[in-house]
Amino acid sequence: MTTNTIKFMDVRFINPFIVSLVSIFKEMAGITMEKGTLVKGQGRKLFSGYGVAIGIVGDVNGQVLYEFPENFSQLLTENLTEKKRSEYDSDDEFEDMMRSVINEIGNTISGLAITKLSEEGISCDITPPILYFGKEIQIIPKNLKTIIIPFQSNIGFVSVNIAMDI
């Protein structure tokens, strides 16, 4: 029987995702991310651009959605590959690389967050990431309470949306 009862917006669950995002962007891309004000919501639609959805199962069940506007995704890809979009053989090649970068960033942030949760005594695992692209796509079901955490950087903004099945 688990003694680590997690409640919606419990900082023990939220903070590992914040710390992991800031750490991964700094380490992998040299980008400083500044956290904005957390917002409570119900479900989440992908506003526009790329989204990486990752399920969480274990002591806590839910979903994390990382949102990356298209311009941010392009700049991040150019930063990490040290290659401008115009230097790729085709737009399709660059688009493939951008999707790969975004998917890997979301997966890496989640993996580190799960490790940090484990250090807090919260046992969870993650599902493989699912990459979305578009506008107004309902990713997190409306019935799930969601925490939206915006981040700002010198190349744009991203957000982490955490939904718990409570």
Side-chain angles (χ1 to χ4, degrees):
M1 181 171 161
T2 302
T3 58
N4 292 315
T5 303
I6 304 295
K7 296 180 180 177
F8 186 63
M9 280 201 60
D10 187 325
V11 295
R12 293 181 305 145
F13 185 71
I14 304 296
N15 281 345
F17 289 93
I18 294 170
V19 169
S20 296
L21 182 137
V22 169
S23 174
I24 293 300
F25 273 101
K26 187 68 170 173
E27 289 174 23
M28 288 181 70
I31 297 172
T32 301
M33 302 300 286
E34 297 291 330
K35 182 181 73 66
T37 304
L38 279 70
V39 178
K40 293 181 190 179
Q42 287 290 132
R44 185 69 170 168
K45 283 186 178 181
L46 178 61
F47 57 91
S48 180
Y50 290 92
V52 179
I54 297 178
I56 301 167
V57 294
D59 287 348
V60 176
N61 294 300
Q63 188 174 10
V64 177
L65 170 65
Y66 302 95
E67 294 181 90
F68 303 94
E70 192 166 6
N71 188 55
F72 180 94
S73 301
Q74 178 177 326
L75 293 171
L76 178 63
T77 300
E78 290 176 344
N79 176 313
L80 288 174
T81 63
E82 298 180 351
K83 194 174 176 181
K84 296 286 183 197
R85 183 180 197 125
S86 61
E87 296 176 276
Y88 283 82
D89 291 336
S90 68
D91 276 344
D92 286 344
E93 181 185 8
F94 181 78
E95 293 288 330
D96 287 346
M97 179 59 73
M98 190 163 47
R99 285 189 290 273
S100 179
V101 164
I102 295 305
N103 215 28
E104 187 58 30
I105 286 281
N107 200 37
T108 302
I109 294 167
S110 294
L112 181 57
I114 293 301
T115 299
K116 292 183 178 305
L117 285 168
S118 176
E119 292 167 359
E120 291 289 326
I122 302 166
S123 178
C124 295
D125 204 355
I126 57 175
T127 64
I130 299 172
L131 182 69
Y132 295 90
F133 178 75
K135 188 175 188 177
E136 298 297 319
I137 303 169
Q138 188 75 43
I139 307 290
I140 298 175
K142 293 178 184 178
N143 65 318
L144 294 182
K145 290 185 178 183
T146 307
I147 301 298
I148 303 157
I149 311 163
F151 292 87
Q152 183 67 42
S153 75
N154 65 324
I155 65 168
F157 72 94
V158 300
S159 71
V160 177
N161 307 277
I162 302 172
M164 293 176 61
D165 189 9
I166 56 172

